[in-house]
Amino acid sequence: MGTSGSGGAGPGPASSSASGGETSVTTGGADACVKGQTRGNQVAVIGESFIAATHGITQQIEKQAKANGSLAEGERYIDNSVSGTTLANDQIPSQYRKAAENGMIKYVLMDGGGNDCLLRGDGDGALAAAESLFETMAEDNVEKVLYFFYPDPIGNQFASLKSCLDTLRPKMKELCDGLTSPKCYWLDLRPVWDGHNDYTQDGIHPTAAGSIATGDAVWEAMVENCVAQ
């Protein structure tokens, strides 16, 4: 989140199914998933400091993608995440539009809503902004979005943040689950972080271990749902 990032909601990570070369096939839902055809500049990562504080989550996803033959060596995703940004006030949405300027974005990996709750106490504003953002993505022919929602913040000082996230989470999940264009996949990070206080030092942002665990969970969900394979 701001100088803070945050955490929590949606089905837990799915298990990874295949590895290998450019023409390897894995499953993503009912359809065959052809691997090795996604370029780094077709994937946008957007959000706030849960991602942007170190960009370690993105780096771990890229590491997994390269190891599994889904991202060429030397390529990177477009990571436009910026600390302190909100969905409302066109901050995270503008990150997407900047990435989409080349007209090639097919997949979006994102969080969002944490700072809307932390800084503004406004989950409804985040939800409305997300609805508009997804409409823009549909117009741009984005195929799939993976929305990973925060683990529970740790510490009594984050009680109001947790309350706001608990209210926002099911609403944002319902929005994501209902999308068909782009198709949206929801990842709840709470099971991933449960029992791992070592994944954060300040109660909301991931440590190196937290970034690796989060990146691995995101990657597993990407494999399961044929996102950027």
Side-chain angles (χ1 to χ4, degrees):
M1 301 184 184
T3 5
S4 306
S6 129
S15 55
S16 165
S17 22
S19 62
E22 234 173 83
T23 58
S24 294
V25 176
T26 183
T27 56
D31 302 321
C33 181
V34 181
K35 297 182 61 176
Q37 296 191 347
T38 300
R39 301 294 303 270
N41 62 2
Q42 293 176 315
V43 181
V45 181
I46 59 175
E48 29 75 341
S49 63
F50 188 77
I51 302 170
T54 66
H55 298 282
I57 293 171
T58 303
Q59 291 163 12
Q60 182 64 17
I61 299 168
E62 290 171 335
K63 178 181 177 181
Q64 289 281 24
K66 289 175 181 178
N68 284 272
S70 299
L71 181 64
E73 290 296 333
E75 291 204 7
R76 301 287 304 274
Y77 297 149
I78 300 173
D79 186 347
N80 285 345
S81 60
V82 177
S83 295
T85 51
T86 57
L87 278 165
N89 288 343
D90 198 36
Q91 294 179 332
I92 292 174
S94 71
Q95 297 170 15
Y96 163 74
R97 291 199 307 276
K98 180 180 178 183
E101 286 174 353
N102 64 12
M104 294 181 65
I105 298 300
K106 294 173 64 176
Y107 307 104
V108 176
L109 313 177
M110 66 178 292
D111 71 359
N115 278 326
D116 297 81
C117 281
L118 180 67
L119 305 176
R120 300 164 54 88
D122 184 17
D124 288 342
L127 185 67
E131 290 174 347
S132 178
L133 173 58
F134 290 138
E135 288 173 3
T136 300
M137 290 180 186
E139 292 168 1
D140 292 346
N141 296 313
V142 171
E143 295 180 12
K144 296 180 178 181
V145 175
L146 182 64
Y147 199 132
F148 49 102
F149 205 77
Y150 317 93
D152 287 332
I154 300 171
N156 292 335
Q157 71 272 34
F158 297 123
S160 61
L161 169 61
K162 183 179 184 303
S163 176
C164 181
L165 290 174
D166 285 347
T167 300
L168 174 60
R169 184 181 298 112
K171 296 178 182 178
M172 198 69 86
K173 181 182 186 301
E174 182 180 14
L175 172 62
C176 176
D177 289 348
L179 291 176
T180 56
S181 178
K183 181 64 179 171
C184 183
Y185 300 97
W186 180 261
L187 174 61
D188 185 344
L189 290 173
R190 291 176 298 174
V192 178
W193 281 52
D194 185 39
H196 288 280
N197 287 3
D198 57 308
Y199 284 177
T200 183
Q201 289 184 332
D202 63 4
I204 47 181
H205 296 98
T207 58
S211 291
I212 290 170
T214 300
D216 285 347
V218 171
W219 173 249
E220 288 171 4
M222 290 168 66
V223 170
E224 178 70 13
N225 297 293
C226 197
V227 176
Q229 295 301 295

